Amino acid sequence: MSKLKTLNQLDAHGKTVLVRVDFNVPLDKGVITDDTRITRALPTIRCLVEQGAKVVLVSHLGRPKGCGFEEEFSLKPVACALSEKLGCDVRLSSEVTGPATLGLVQSLECGQVALLENVRFDSREKKNDATFASELASIADIYVNDAFGAAHRAHASTSGVANILPSYAGLLMQEEVETLQSILDSPKRPFVAILGGSKVSDKIKVIDSLIEKADVIVIGGAMCFTFLTAQGLSVGKSLVENDWASRADEMYKKAQERGVKFLLPVDVVVAEEISENADTSVVPVEDIPDDMMGLDIGPKTEEMYSKAILEAGSVFWNGPMGVFECSAFESGTKAIANAAAKTSGDVIVGGGDSVAAIKKFDVADKMTFVSTGGGASMEFIQGDVLAGVEPLYE
Ligand code: ADP
Ligand code: MG
């Protein structure tokens, strides 16, 4: 199997290193509400600083229009937070590439850190424009990619520049790729894959790929209703993707042929509407009323799923079991989160909302590994080669 080029193989002393990081943090009126992504990038930055490199960080933030500076998407708050965490001044360039950036980079001394302004201020970033990639490459000697969360995108700062400069995986990138690869290649058994969230269509390839690796597949969230529909049950007003019912049925059968246990809910929490004070009841999946929607797994299902997790050698979890954002429908996701926190098996969690859920239930630090990449971790698990990872292999 191919191996990543890592920071161990690098002597960056005196070199200018362009580091792609994922500083796409959530902001509320300019205040960072969750700094996980900054914290997770620190080991790589510190490692390069200790090597005596001149470190130039580049990241995107949100979705600016791509026609220059917009205050709302400026990396200013990130530069402040980062300066504080590193205990040194991180200077922010006023532009992405150009003379001011060049001046700033040339003024860096060994062990100093600078941050380029939001790379998506330049519309050429998302087009993976060759000239823009060369402009980025021209300010550095070496490229390090630590932005796993953006690695599924073939953009200039994630892919284009990696094909120009000598490229290495940062420590977070390395941990993400090695952890996800190891659960695919050599999971501790039994390997339990828990899949939930809103859409089967989003996750069909992930389920398909995991049927070939896992011992148990556990289905929750809205997607379970497409599977239940495929089995001939009527699911009332629950979210169903009818177009996908036959694919869902094929997958169920494929799992049975391979001897993979495929668990679907036996009971669900139903209500007429998604709201905090909705009237809820628990019904067996055979008895979902026509005018109600299934919005969470029921207590019998919670118990069955928790048992599978507690007996697991390893667990991969993506997608909440219900509308956990609403306390009336959070119980299923909370039960799974607690079982995942308690099991002696290894637990890997991926997916934006899934990570939000384990944070909400305060168990994120009990997981073996929490992926920083939502879309990227899904694409990795479904066996795709990620545009930002491929150039980092030996
Ligand atoms: P992730 O970001 O972890 O990959 P998804 O984006 O696929 O997860 O799905 C998360 C969303 O699914 C949540 O917003 C949640 O409210 C919703 N969801 C879960 N169960 C249901 C359900 N039964 N009906 C409607 N929406 C649901
Ligand atoms: Mg999501």
Side-chain angles (χ1 to χ4, degrees), residues 224-273:
C224 75
F225 299 106
T226 303
F227 284 94
L228 295 171
T229 301
Q231 303 207 334
L233 296 183
S234 93
V235 298
K237 289 200 176 141
S238 309
L239 212 61
V240 174
E241 289 170 279
N242 282 306
D243 299 351
W244 291 89
S246 64
R247 274 294 271 130
D249 194 45
E250 271 169 40
M251 271 192 296
Y252 185 78
K253 290 192 175 121
K254 176 175 162 184
Q256 291 196 312
E257 276 160 27
R258 300 185 67 93
V260 174
K261 260 202 218 167
F262 202 95
L263 303 182
L264 289 170
V266 293
D267 58 353
V268 287
V269 177
V270 294
E272 276 176 10
E273 52 170 9

Side-chain angles (χ1 to χ4, degrees), residues 371-389:
S371 178
T372 51
S377 61
M378 291 304 103
E379 288 191 24
F380 196 96
I381 291 288
Q382 72 196 29
D384 292 355
V385 178
L386 309 192
V389 178

